[in-house]
Amino acid sequence: MCEANVYIVDETGKSELFLESVDKIIPEGDKLYLENIFNKRKHIKARIKEMALVEHRIVLEKLVD
Amino acid sequence: MCEANVYIVDETGKSELFLESVDKIIPEGDKLYLENIFNKRKHIKARIKEMALVEHRIVLEKLVD
């Protein structure tokens, strides 16, 4: 399976896991809709910072209001 | 390998392949930088419309100047 783990990086550069095994990501305005292979769904106000699919790694940056 | 094929969809909904076997995508302002597993690199003024990683499919929408 070719899902990816999605991390959030904070302003200090520290990243933490936000959702594992993500299949779908759909940008919706300033939010992202994420769905993983276990049907877990999350919304987050963030932008994609970088994706490295072979490493199964997607990094998001939270958007501040 | 868990790379994805990247398609561009036009305003009529038709999609065409832009770059196959993409590993890395990095947003840079209003552009996206793409790199595939064969070290082919492309820039495009576009935004991510949707990603379906299990299907190895990423769809971009071109940004008009």
Side-chain angles (χ1 to χ4, degrees), chain A residues 5-27:
Chain A
N5 296 316
V6 173
Y7 300 85
I8 293 180
V9 68
D10 69 18
E11 56 285 349
T12 69
K14 213 187 74 178
S15 67
E16 66 178 37
L17 185 63
F18 177 65
L19 186 61
E20 74 289 355
S21 302
V22 171
D23 173 19
K24 293 195 170 64
I25 300 181
I26 301 173

Side-chain angles (χ1 to χ4, degrees), chain A residues 33-46:
Chain A
Y33 166 76
L34 288 81
E35 189 178 308
N36 77 2
I37 59 169
F38 310 112
N39 263 315
K40 199 164 168 184
R41 290 150 195 204
K42 282 193 174 186
H43 280 92
I44 181 172
K45 198 165 173 180

Side-chain angles (χ1 to χ4, degrees), chain A residues 1-4 22-27 37 47-56 58, chain B residues 1-4 22-27 37 47-56 58:
Chain A
M1 295 283 272
C2 280
E3 67 281 358
V22 171
D23 173 19
K24 293 195 170 64
I25 300 181
I26 301 173
I37 59 169
R47 68 174 197 90
I48 295 168
K49 188 176 159 71
E50 58 183 56
M51 300 175 29
L53 297 177
V54 173
E55 291 173 56
H56 300 251
I58 295 175
Chain B
M1 294 284 270
C2 281
E3 65 283 359
V22 171
D23 172 19
K24 293 195 170 62
I25 299 181
I26 302 174
I37 58 169
R47 67 173 198 92
I48 295 168
K49 189 176 159 68
E50 56 183 56
M51 301 175 29
L53 297 176
V54 173
E55 291 171 56
H56 299 251
I58 296 174

